[in-house]
Amino acid sequence: MTIPLYMYIITFFCVLFPFYHMFNAYLSSRKTPYYMKNPPSAEKGISILVPCYNEESIIQTAIEGMLALDYSNYEVLFINDGSSDLTMERLHEDLKLKPAAFAASGVLKFNQVKAFYQAANTKIKVLDKVNGGKADALNAGISYAEHSIIITLDADSLLKPDSLKIINGAFEDKKVIAAGGMVHVLQGRNLAQPDQPVRLSKMKQIVRFQTLEYIRGFFTYKASLAKSDALSIISGAFGIFKKDVLLDLYGFRKTVGEDMDITLKVQQYRKKHRRRKVLFIPEAICYTEVPESYKDLFKQRVRWQKAFTDCMMYYGKTLFPTVFKKKLSFFIVFDALCSGVLLSFFTLFFLVTQIFFFPIEHTYPALLFFLSGAAGSNLLYALISLKISTHYRNAFSNRDMGYLAWTILADLLVYRFFTLFFTIYGTIAYFGKKDGWNKVARTGKKYIVSESDALQKADV
């Protein structure tokens, strides 16, 4: 039996965008960006906003990470968003907080701030407010931030000590109004020696899958979109924005996925303010804790897919009419929506119908052609992404190569079908229940952030 023409067409679109992103990201990695050539002499003021809701198990690590930053002109605002656990008590204990008074700027709306605190002998401030969700907490932080550059950071995300210096250099270009940083998986890292190889042997298999996924997603996909001037998501784990732009946009919208929403708002802002730039800065790195159970991974990925669907519904009226005029619209509609979401539904439909409703001798050639094409492109995508990651000194030790090879193989044969399910379920679930944060449980692990942490652990 010959392979139907539509299978050639579908397979072509399966591999078209991955090949484009591989080629584009590889070219981007070969060029040294301007901010790495001539570091600025003066430090611009940077405010780091960390929304906190029930973060008692990770908050001490977050504080240690902030104190390890290699920069002078910065402040940190921990925004306790009505936590019901001991988050506020841990902040008091670790920071020796004292009551303070801060003045708000701008016109953003947010729930009541009950108290303000200043940490003893540090650049850290704490806002204790009534619960309103992550977007509400960020809006409060923006209003009380003192500096012109805002970094939004999750409580389970730690910045590499030199990240602020790199961001300072990137924002030396006055046209830059927002940027996304590189996000790595926190598990398996020794942050006291961040340039050491990633330790896959220290991870659960589910974390290894996500490690490979983050490498593909940031080193290749986001890098390619940024080079094409079509970056649609600045990660909620690590985003950088000009404060005046956030104020002009009335801050973050309360939605299931505030990161994609604010990115699209910034991109719309650029239409009215020509020559403004949105960057991806792979040299500025944060490390984030990822789910260690499939239950938590499911909750996280369903939330992400709901966020994407929500933005398609909310911004579709501006995206679809400009699909052949704007690069951003083109990649969101044809790459993310058609090649990502709609093709996931087609893949499921095709596999089910071919396997269960047609004789195997009729379906075998089409199945083999489709699956081999998808697997081949995904394998090449992973290998190119790993190649790019080594350029940025994100490598794996030789003794972990077996774990890496197994993870790549298992990703192709097993994990990809999990992500297919997450995409389909999350899209359908959005129309049943749009909201719902479904916060992922923290692991409660103690991470090595500094050399002193490493010495203390060695003494135990």
Side-chain angles (χ1 to χ4, degrees), residues 9 11 52 88 224 238 269 363 405 440 458:
I9 297 173
T11 305
C52 304
M88 199 62 211
S224 173
F238 181 22
Y269 177 91
T363 63
V440 174

Side-chain angles (χ1 to χ4, degrees), residues 163-183:
S163 291
L164 297 191
K165 286 185 176 180
I166 296 169
I167 291 167
N168 184 49
F171 278 77
E172 189 74 3
D173 184 347
K174 305 301 182 183
K175 298 173 185 176
V176 176
I177 59 173
M182 174 64 67
V183 180

Side-chain angles (χ1 to χ4, degrees), residues 22-33 37 223 227 282-283 384-393:
M22 282 185 271
F23 179 75
N24 206 30
Y26 184 79
L27 289 181
S28 178
S29 69
R30 299 298 98 186
K31 298 180 180 179
T32 302
K37 295 178 181 177
K227 186 175 184 296
E283 298 85 2
I384 294 295
S385 299
L386 290 168
K387 174 65 176 177
I388 296 172
S389 76
T390 59
H391 174 76
Y392 290 99
R393 302 173 67 183

Side-chain angles (χ1 to χ4, degrees), residues 103 106 159 195 198 264 289 329 332 352 354 434 437 439:
L159 289 174
D195 291 327
V198 185
L264 294 180
E289 191 175 70
S329 300
I332 290 179
V352 170
Q354 293 294 307
K434 298 180 182 180
W437 183 246
K439 179 180 171 66

Side-chain angles (χ1 to χ4, degrees), residues 176-235:
V176 176
I177 59 173
M182 174 64 67
V183 180
H184 289 316
V185 171
L186 176 58
Q187 289 96 320
R189 299 271 182 174
N190 177 357
L191 300 190
Q193 298 175 311
D195 291 327
Q196 281 191 344
V198 185
R199 294 300 307 276
L200 291 176
S201 59
K202 300 292 184 180
M203 304 176 184
K204 295 180 179 179
Q205 184 59 52
I206 187 174
V207 178
R208 295 182 194 132
F209 284 138
Q210 294 172 84
T211 299
L212 181 61
E213 190 176 26
Y214 274 59
I215 288 173
R216 292 194 308 260
F218 283 85
F219 282 117
T220 301
Y221 187 62
K222 286 187 183 293
S224 173
L225 288 178
K227 186 175 184 296
S228 302
D229 197 22
L231 189 63
S232 57
I233 304 178
I234 293 174
S235 174

Side-chain angles (χ1 to χ4, degrees), residues 80-105:
N80 180 49
D81 190 44
S83 296
S84 58
D85 66 352
L86 299 178
T87 297
M88 199 62 211
E89 286 79 358
R90 293 285 183 266
L91 287 167
H92 272 287
E93 179 182 343
D94 294 338
L95 294 172
K96 307 297 187 290
L97 297 178
K98 297 180 180 179
F102 307 134
S105 61

Side-chain angles (χ1 to χ4, degrees), residues 323-397:
V323 71
F324 293 112
K325 299 178 181 179
K326 302 291 184 181
K327 295 178 181 178
L328 178 71
S329 300
F330 177 84
F331 280 101
I332 290 179
V333 172
F334 286 108
D335 186 10
L337 177 62
C338 294
S339 183
V341 179
L342 298 183
L343 198 58
S344 295
F345 280 90
F346 170 81
T347 300
L348 178 64
F349 174 80
F350 171 74
L351 291 176
V352 170
T353 56
Q354 293 294 307
I355 292 173
F356 293 102
F357 295 101
F358 294 96
I360 189 64
E361 61 271 15
H362 291 173
T363 63
Y364 179 76
L367 277 171
L368 181 62
F369 179 78
F370 176 73
L371 293 176
S372 60
S377 65
N378 287 332
L379 175 60
L380 184 60
Y381 197 97
L383 295 177
I384 294 295
S385 299
L386 290 168
K387 174 65 176 177
I388 296 172
S389 76
T390 59
H391 174 76
Y392 290 99
R393 302 173 67 183
N394 183 72
F396 299 90
S397 64

